[in-house]
Amino acid sequence: KEESSNGISGTITLYTSETLTDVQSYVDQFELLNPGTKVEIFRLGTTELTARLMTELQAGETPADVIWFADMALFEQFAQDGRLLKIQPAEAANIPESFVYFDGMAYELRLIYQIIAYNTNLVTEKIDSWFDLTDERYKGKVGSASPFVSGATVTQVASVINDDRLGWDFYKKLAANNPVVSGGNGGIARGIASGEYAIGLTIDFMARAQQEQGSPVGYCYQKEGAVYVPTPAGVMAATDNPELSTAFINYLMSVPGQLQLQANGYMPVNKNVALPKGVPSAADIPVLETDWKNLAENRESILNEYAKIFGID
Amino acid sequence: MAEIAISHLRKIYGTFTAVDDFTLNIADGEFVSILGPSGCGKTTLLRSIAGFFSVSSGEIRIGNAFAASSESRIHVPPEERNLGMVFQSYAVWPHMNVFDNVAYPLRIRKEPAAALREKVGSVLDLLKLTGSEEKYPSMMSGGQQQRIALGRALVMNPDALLLDEPLSNLDSKLREQMRFELKEIQRKLKLTILYVTHDQEEAMAVSDRIVLMNEGRIRQVDNPRDLYCRPKNLFSACFLGRSNKINGIVSAVSGNRVSLTTSFGAEVPLLAAQSSAPEEGVSATAVIRYENAELSALGSDDTVPACVVVGTYLGCYFLYEVETSFGEFVVHTDSSVTYHPGDEVFLRFTEAFIFKDED
Amino acid sequence: MAEIAISHLRKIYGTFTAVDDFTLNIADGEFVSILGPSGCGKTTLLRSIAGFFSVSSGEIRIGNAFAASSESRIHVPPEERNLGMVFQSYAVWPHMNVFDNVAYPLRIRKEPAAALREKVGSVLDLLKLTGSEEKYPSMMSGGQQQRIALGRALVMNPDALLLDEPLSNLDSKLREQMRFELKEIQRKLKLTILYVTHDQEEAMAVSDRIVLMNEGRIRQVDNPRDLYCRPKNLFSACFLGRSNKINGIVSAVSGNRVSLTTSFGAEVPLLAAQSSAPEEGVSATAVIRYENAELSALGSDDTVPACVVVGTYLGCYFLYEVETSFGEFVVHTDSSVTYHPGDEVFLRFTEAFIFKDED
Amino acid sequence: MYLKSSFLSRDSRKIGITVLVYGVLLILFIYPILHLVTAAFTRDGAFSCGNMLEIVGNESNLRALKNSLVLGIAVTAIAVPLALVFSWLVVRTDLHARRFFRTALVVPFFIPPFIMAFAWTRLLGNAGYVNVFLQNLFQLDSPLFSIYGAGGVILVSVIYTYPYSFIVLSRSIENMGAHLEEAALISGAGKGRVLRDIVLPVLLPSVASSAMIVFVTTISMFGIPALLGTPGRFIVVTTRIYGYIGGFRDPNGIGIATGLSLLLLVIAGMAQSVQALMTRFDRYSTITGKSAPMEPVRLGPFRLPLTILVALFVLMVVFGPLAAILVTSLTRALGLPLSPENMTLAHYRTLAGMGLVQRSFRNSLGLAVIVPSLITLAAVLLVYLRRNKRVYGHQFIDHIVSLPYAVPGIVIGVAMILSWIHPVLGVSIYNTIWILALAYIVRFMIFPMRTIDASWKQIDSSLEEAARISGRKNFGVLRDISMPLLRSGISSGWLLAFMPALTELTLSILLYSPGNETIGVTAFNVMEEGLVPVAGAYAMAIVMIVLILQMLHGRFFEMNRMNKNRKKRNYG
Ligand SMILES: Nc1ncnc2c1ncn2[C@@H]1O[C@H](COP(=O)(O)OP(=O)(O)OP(=O)(O)O)[C@@H](O)[C@H]1O
Ligand SMILES: Nc1ncnc2c1ncn2[C@@H]1O[C@H](COP(=O)(O)OP(=O)(O)OP(=O)(O)O)[C@@H](O)[C@H]1O
Ligand SMILES: [Mg+2]
Ligand SMILES: [Mg+2]
């Protein structure tokens, strides 16, 4: 059985909520670079993915070797429970310290932010602040993902309430503008593109994707700070092929992998890879502080509070 | 309270003509029966009058309004024709109990509850169904279901009643009472009734006129007596009552004395009914009803010898099968005298319907 | 080819007893008819013999094997009883055409194709259904569907045939032929036949014995003639044939000359049928068949005066309704002499069944 | 005596059959549900009613429960009568173009629900074509109406569920001979009364069954309430369930979610009982031993108006969304004005290019043929055994098989994982296509069970008795008489299971594995990519394929019907 240069081989399964074609592109390249390896993609929305993963773990086994999705809290829990394998990929040297989580149990592979996007046909004013969402003009035309579906929005809540310029008051104001709180960020991006919503909160690369397809979409990083949405990737401790799993994550952090990410419109973390055009560098993007501790401790009450404010409890 | 005028009615199923060129006027308050072999189009006729389908051609008038007309493309829906009907297949509603089945037409007419209960009650009483009000059709016997169907038609008083073998599954006692009641109701309400039955005696008893149908066409329309005594054609003669048939050549005619020579060369002396006038030499068919022949122990010039084969007892009379020179022959005598198989007897023909064979 | 022995059969629907303590032995190859008012339990009886439900009590033997027995909890499923049945509701299969309906029992018996086609062909021929092989039941008239049901029962040769009003929707001609054919087949194959009908004449003509039922119980079992001439009870006397009823006190008896005094005080001179022997002084009911009375223009000591109300023509005879001192009375005379409403006539009673009233 | 023996063996056979049937039901149906029960009553490893207490203690859940009930009842109360009227019109009357309408009215059923929901937002949403059109028409600056909230959810749910009922009723009405209606007409009843007084009650078994299906479908449905309800503050149990599973990371999330699901199970169980109670008598034989002709009822003056009404409905409800999807699939990108230069077929090319798409079509078509056929056959046998009391405790079977359909797909998915992740009896079906097949079997069994049971209630027993007296044994009778007469129930049961088996999402997404993607999963992922136009193209492709299948199936069906009509053959 053929072995690739660096002696890795076999098959691993990747659980991720990254969009399919993107992941496919990384995997294709990886398999090309490492003949004899195979990465099987299992792609789901965050909710279903976590549901399946948790259930499998409860039952005692999961096919997952590498996991990669935007639910920091779950990763943290896994890290504590020792479900994650501590790895030192060579490329880790090329990414900022801050993107190495739980000392090496998980890594950030690219940066995404939850930002404000808008439909350029419906919104002509300059948009740059969270408070544009509370603007009378957009009453009933504001879209936001539901924290019960979108992990990113949970992060958003944890960040907004942690910021004294915004806090719960902001949500109260927003609620007064009766926004459409539903589904995931993808749906919001679509809604904005189609004009269903004039303006809304979604993920930057999604807005960018719609732009590239030619939809009338614009977006901005809020001046008060966008929501940085960590999307950790890690190796399950129970994997039967740690080498290959590590190699895959290593590839994603390596220049070829990062270039691929960049080509797909993401902000790379590897300092040797340039940003996609028209995208500010992480340094220039103001970011809200996320209170992970508070979230971990009071997740339920926080979400209930949110739900109450938006009447979706 | 309406006359029904049917003219040149035709109903074609695919390629099969079920009713053909049917013309009949039924007077207001008249009781007309339809007799005919199974499958001759009786039900189809009733269904066209009820208006369940559009006729292939011809027209139907009920009262003085067109109910259906093929050329002027009129079709009054059944619910507006104000007719009552008893379906041959009962068509009782399985999900309603006896009472509701019968009460339905009244409910439609928004009959006040009290009057409704009273009317339905009396009808059920008449039908001997009192006590079964709460039962559902699936718990009723065939005859009881038929009575439900009848009750449903009787309870409403329509302009005309279409009855399709409404008593076929009732015992003769009940049947007789029912037909008596029907007649009463009809007299009282001046109902026009179109009545399909296979029971000739019934038809005779209740009808003002009888329509004799065959293969979708009218063969004869007459009052019971004329129909029975003066059949206009071979079919009528044979279909009504029970009779023997003799084929032969008319060998001699004097007045209504006719003698027929059968293919076996036997001479049969007959008394022709006035209705039919045969000429000498033609080949003809004689229809002799069972009751129009007599058996006697001693012969005369107008008798033929015969030998008793078997006698069947039929309550009020005997049926004798006798062997003659021109084949088997059935006679019908009252139960006073009895003969036994093998007895030599003589056969006299009191009346015969003789028709020239068309070839 | 099997006798059927029914003993103390009882069938209860919920609280309603449809058949009660029914005991009857039907000999191998016997033709037994069941007569009875609508709803008296005939169908229920046949269905218990067929085995569609388990009987409430009693037992049924077919051939020399138990088919059903309540105490020893035996219940042989219908398919193992080798019976043929015509359902009162036809039960023709709507998804099969005429041919397949009739052929079905043979298909089950794995009849070779040729023989099958031949047998079905001949049955259809007998039923006058040739040419309709391809038609589906919904394209057939009521009578035609009934014939399909009959054909299905005739084509298989079972040990016994259960026929539930198999001819009720056929015209009299066809009906007569059919019952003749039935008799033939039965003779040929020595079939045991249990035959439910409402046509008394039919029953008389074909049956070896007739069972008279009422309200689930047997009232009388006899050969046709005895049943008709020697009714054992009031019900039998009234149910069979058509008759008048006179209530009164037996005022004088000499031999079989009996005179009855009605509540109106009228004296009615009767000839008691030997079967019934009344004593003087008891209150009794006399049953006088229509044909057991005569009308004559001149009276004698054994006649009572009457006045013609109406005469109905019934083909082979007249039915006269006359008014007498003891109420309306119906007489039945052959069509030779005719009277007219209002005619003064005299009424003679040739035979009467007199039963002591039980009170 | 052979008689006695046959009698004895009957009893022992009954025991054998019972063991077999319940054995299978236990493994396939009860075992997974048990996992839910345990999950619901477990807290940190120990038995506890905590979840339940928490559920009833939280008024949000109670409100959601109330909403679910209201939704279920409202939708059922609207969808079923609607379906009944349509069925009667297209089958029993001389409505113009009824053949066409009969097919058209089923089309909404052929569009995957989540795409349907999207299509409706495109139509009636704030920026929906309808709203935009009206806005421009009346020069309004805000949309005229919104589909967000209870009203919208009910509306779209009705449109999504009425075909279930229509498919069942349109077929069972075929078996209804004309004479029952004619008897009412001749009694003076108008068309409406005939429908209300005769058709509805006589078809009660089918009406009740389809109502039960519609009701359960509605209360266990997630997509529509999530997309249209949540924004309008209209929260139902399923939304809560997803919240607990997805949102909170607290360890009891799953427990509470399954607890809520059990509530849905109970409600469905009640619905089942009501339905059984409503139709417990044998008063519904429409297929009797006396065949009646089937002249269509003449609508007379109403013919044209009614035709127009139906046509309008079809136009709005059937072609509206289809058009929306078609347009979306042809525009270069979302949000571009509809102008020629923005039109393209590129998305269809993209679609055809995806190997994944072809693979999922293969998988789903396979499932959609095998599963319905299997469960339809099984249902015939089960109902047969139940009717003839060949099993003990026959009354429980219905309840058992309807359980898995009553809970949201994601929950039953979880249950299936817990049940089948480890090899059972040495065979491991997890991560294969067979877990999907199994899941579909369990989840969709309710369809053929209900429809076949219903149409069996309409066969007069004398027809089967006649076969038995002719000497045919049990299964022979089933094959020769019952099955052909059950045609309506069988075909509707099959079709009802076919569509979801083809496009099911919520359950498949948990159970599929790389290589075994299904149409639903792939379409969903494509949607998630933001490649909405491609998803649109995908939906169009699905609809086209199903329509073609339906045509073929219809052709075939037509052929029967045509020579049925040529020979005027029909049941009554
Ligand atoms: N839907 C149909 N398609 C084709 N032929 C039909 C249809 N309905 C009836 N027929 C044929 O039309 C003829 C007349 O049928 P109809 O029911 O009127 O007979 P009928 O006189 O009522 O007979 P019966 O006395 O047996 O009821 C029959 O020969 C029957 O086969
Ligand atoms: N399923 C049932 N439940 C309750 N009562 C029933 C049921 N079936 C029949 N009966 C009753 O039993 C009695 C006998 O019914 P059956 O059908 O045997 O009468 P029948 O003698 O055949 O009458 P017909 O001559 O009218 O056919 C009837 O009074 C009927 O009401
Ligand atoms: Mg008829
Ligand atoms: Mg009966």
Side-chain angles (χ1 to χ4, degrees), chain B residues 142, chain C residues 43 88 164-165:
Chain C
T43 300
Q88 187 171 11
D164 200 347
E165 303 182 29

Side-chain angles (χ1 to χ4, degrees), chain A:
Chain A
K1 151 163 135 352
E2 116 186 80
E3 284 218 343
S4 65
S5 49
N6 48 13
I8 54 166
S9 71
T11 306
I12 54 169
T13 306
L14 165 68
Y15 276 29
T16 181
S17 56
E18 295 295 292
T19 57
L20 194 57
T21 34
D22 295 351
V23 188
Q24 194 66 57
S25 65
Y26 316 139
V27 168
D28 293 345
Q29 192 179 38
F30 177 72
E31 291 177 348
L32 205 69
L33 297 174
N34 308 278
T37 64
K38 178 145 186 37
V39 179
E40 288 193 323
I41 307 168
F42 186 82
R43 193 274 161 193
L44 293 183
T46 317
T47 309
E48 289 79 10
L49 188 63
T50 48
R52 169 159 175 157
L53 189 55
M54 299 292 279
T55 315
E56 288 176 338
L57 291 174
Q58 183 190 339
E61 59 184 84
T62 171
D65 298 295
V66 178
I67 57 176
W68 181 19
F69 51 86
D71 191 333
M72 195 59 169
L74 188 57
F75 272 80
E76 188 161 10
Q77 187 186 326
F78 279 5
Q80 286 161 8
D81 307 353
R83 288 197 185 282
L84 290 172
L85 191 68
K86 193 186 193 107
I87 54 173
Q88 282 106 350
E91 292 291 340
N94 297 327
I95 70 171
E97 256 313 303
S98 56
F99 297 149
V100 179
Y101 304 129
F102 329 118
D103 58 24
M105 284 193 175
Y107 294 84
E108 191 65 49
L109 301 176
R110 84 287 191 273
L111 307 183
I112 59 172
Y113 301 84
Q114 197 179 41
I115 47 81
I116 293 180
Y118 49 90
N119 182 303
T120 52
N121 298 339
L122 304 173
V123 177
T124 46
E125 309 66 20
K126 177 169 187 311
I127 300 296
D128 63 358
S129 160
W130 284 92
F131 290 96
D132 293 320
L133 295 172
T134 62
D135 184 329
E136 269 297 312
R137 261 172 298 184
Y138 312 130
K139 201 172 177 59
K141 299 182 189 167
V142 182
S144 163
S146 153
F148 296 108
V149 179
S150 144
T153 307
V154 177
T155 315
Q156 173 209 111
V157 180
S159 318
V160 166
I161 60 175
N162 185 40
D163 184 293
D164 41 20
R165 288 161 300 173
L166 304 163
W168 287 114
D169 298 348
F170 167 75
Y171 282 131
K172 297 210 175 71
K173 287 206 197 67
L174 181 56
N177 218 16
N178 65 10
V180 174
V181 178
S182 139
N185 294 287
I188 301 299
R190 291 198 291 276
I192 291 170
S194 68
E196 182 62 22
Y197 317 122
I199 185 169
L201 289 161
T202 183
I203 308 294
D204 54 355
F205 77 85
M206 293 181 175
R208 237 175 272 133
Q210 294 291 351
Q211 267 180 334
E212 278 152 22
Q213 288 175 45
S215 296
V217 173
Y219 71 96
C220 76
Y221 294 93
Q222 307 88 318
K223 61 172 184 287
E224 299 87 354
V227 177
Y228 163 60
V229 183
T231 314
V235 178
M236 298 298 289
T239 179
D240 47 17
N241 195 338
E243 304 78 18
L244 180 52
S245 310
T246 316
F248 182 63
I249 291 187
N250 189 55
Y251 153 79
L252 284 168
M253 287 189 279
S254 70
V255 173
Q258 292 281 305
L259 283 173
Q260 191 66 46
L261 276 156
Q262 179 229 44
N264 293 337
Y266 297 100
M267 285 192 199
V269 286
N270 188 315
K271 52 171 134 33
N272 309 331
V273 179
L275 297 167
K277 52 183 168 347
V279 175
S281 76
D284 312 341
I285 299 178
V287 177
L288 293 179
E289 185 60 37
T290 310
D291 184 345
W292 294 108
K293 188 159 173 306
N294 178 19
L295 180 61
E297 284 158 6
N298 314 313
R299 186 186 183 94
E300 189 160 3
S301 56
I302 291 173
L303 289 187
N304 279 330
E305 179 66 19
Y306 181 95
K308 282 215 171 26
I309 292 175
F310 289 94
I312 59 170
D313 61 335

Side-chain angles (χ1 to χ4, degrees), chain C residues 47 50-52 64-67 72-80 82-85 87-96 104-105 107-110 134 136-140 145 152 156 162 169, chain D residues 1-4 6-7 10-11 287-294 390 460-474 476-477 480-482 484-485 563-564 566-572:
Chain C
R47 289 172 56 78
F52 295 138
N64 38 29
F66 272 107
S72 48
R73 302 194 54 243
I74 295 173
H75 178 86
V76 181
E79 59 268 29
E80 290 167 17
N82 190 29
L83 303 169
M85 179 162 182
F87 291 71
Q88 187 171 11
S89 59
Y90 311 165
V92 294
W93 295 302
H95 62 293
M96 296 186 191
Y104 190 73
R107 295 240 164 86
I108 293 173
R109 283 162 184 57
K110 306 256 182 311
E134 292 302 310
Y136 281 82
S138 62
M139 310 155 69
M140 306 294 274
Q145 290 187 41
R152 202 170 50 188
M156 65 196 278
L162 310 173
N169 293 93
Chain D
M1 207 155 54
Y2 81 102
L3 306 167
K4 196 154 216 116
S6 81
F7 164 74
R10 194 165 318 266
D11 246 2
I287 309 180
T288 65
K290 293 183 180 179
S291 297
M294 189 178 245
R390 293 299 186 77
D460 187 280
S461 57
S462 69
L463 293 171
E464 281 147 338
E465 289 167 354
R468 302 188 65 194
I469 200 73
S470 309
R472 187 51 108 197
K473 290 232 181 334
N474 319 327
V477 178
D480 301 346
I481 309 299
S482 316
L485 295 180
N563 61 30
K564 201 171 84 189
R566 179 155 42 74
K567 304 178 188 160
K568 266 278 193 309
R569 158 203 186 172
N570 35 44
Y571 310 144

Side-chain angles (χ1 to χ4, degrees), chain D residues 542-558:
Chain D
I542 296 172
V543 173
M544 281 311 138
I545 287 177
V546 177
L547 272 183
I548 289 163
L549 290 179
Q550 154 90 7
M551 291 297 172
L552 299 177
H553 175 254
R555 271 264 170 304
F556 172 76
F557 212 67
E558 275 315 291

